[in-house]
Amino acid sequence: MSQETYELKAEARERVGKGSARELRRNGLIPAVIYGDKQAPIAIALNTNEVTKRIHAGGFMTTVATIEVDGKKYKVLPKDYQLDPVRDFTLHVDFLRVSGNTQVTVEIPVHFINDAKSPGLKVGGVLNIVRHEIEVHCPADAIPEFFNIDLSGKKIGDSIHISEVTLPKGVTTVIDRDFTIATIVAPAAGVDDSAAEAEGEAEA
């Protein structure tokens, strides 16, 4: 599962538009919208510091949250946010309403493990990461936090495909083919021959 859920308090926005949004930001608030689940969108305002802290903590786009608006609680998943390109603070957030049977599309980060057990990396090979994230369809209440990619036994020239990753129940990839996640390639300067020979002797 993804990170633990969290709760944010919000206030309903009566006015929308650029002028209203600027006024909110001057008062330390972020304009946001809750939409989806076949219900009317709700315009809200959130505390800027709270939201920015959540974004920088990681896992923001894959963690279901609860937003309380005027005493009513909504389970939501962040779907998009905008940052100021210069000052790096949050300008706007879109939240999708979710329930137990809501299917969502999210990008899950990949973590590479057991690099010390890769013969290719031991002799100086380089891990060429093709995909840092994998886009999947999954239930909103069962979003994986990350996928572990095992590098054990991988040699120079080997590729790691999505078929080697065990996906949790109910999780399917958006791309319907056996795509490459990473490859192990020879370094530009070539492989250290003595290291390669030692590796070969160790395997013999």
Side-chain angles (χ1 to χ4, degrees):
M1 275 289 289
S2 188
Q3 297 187 14
E4 287 185 16
T5 186
Y6 58 91
E7 188 166 315
L8 297 170
K9 288 190 181 293
E11 55 188 64
R13 282 191 291 147
E14 297 296 328
R15 297 185 299 126
V16 295
K18 288 185 178 178
S20 171
R22 279 196 295 268
E23 184 179 343
L24 285 173
R25 293 183 191 114
R26 281 198 298 270
N27 293 323
L29 299 172
I30 297 170
V33 174
I34 299 173
Y35 69 96
D37 204 25
K38 299 178 181 176
Q39 299 178 48
I42 303 171
I44 60 172
L46 293 160
N47 181 281
T48 300
N49 291 338
E50 277 289 316
V51 175
T52 302
K53 183 171 70 176
R54 293 291 176 184
I55 290 172
H56 290 303
F60 183 66
M61 301 294 284
T62 56
T63 304
V64 172
T66 300
I67 295 181
E68 182 178 331
V69 186
D70 298 333
K72 187 172 181 181
K73 295 187 176 185
Y74 302 87
K75 281 185 71 175
V76 298
L77 181 70
K79 289 303 291 180
D80 192 23
Y81 64 88
Q82 293 170 280
L83 295 176
D84 183 283
V86 178
R87 290 172 288 177
D88 196 36
F89 63 82
T90 314
L91 295 174
H92 188 273
V93 186
D94 290 337
F95 294 97
L96 175 70
R97 285 187 191 92
V98 298
S99 56
N101 57 1
T102 303
Q103 290 284 319
V104 295
T105 302
V106 289
E107 292 187 339
I108 307 299
V110 295
H111 292 179
F112 294 91
I113 61 172
N114 294 326
D115 51 332
K117 296 180 180 179
S118 162
L121 295 179
K122 277 187 178 179
V123 298
V126 177
L127 179 64
N128 175 41
I129 301 172
V130 179
R131 294 180 185 275
H132 290 271
E133 297 176 320
I134 297 172
E135 193 173 19
V136 301
H137 299 302
C138 64
D141 58 357
I143 300 173
E145 186 173 355
F146 54 82
F147 293 129
N148 275 332
I149 310 299
D150 192 351
L151 299 175
S152 298
K154 298 298 180 184
K155 303 180 180 66
I156 288 175
D158 284 353
S159 297
I160 302 152
H161 296 91
I162 186 62
S163 57
E164 297 178 52
V165 180
T166 303
L167 300 176
K169 184 179 179 182
V171 176
T172 59
T173 56
V174 170
I175 299 173
D176 189 24
R177 58 181 166 79
D178 192 17
F179 55 85
T180 302
I181 298 169
T183 59
I184 295 181
V185 297
V191 174
D192 181 340
D193 289 336
S194 60
E197 286 171 15
E199 193 63 39
E201 288 170 6
E203 286 185 0

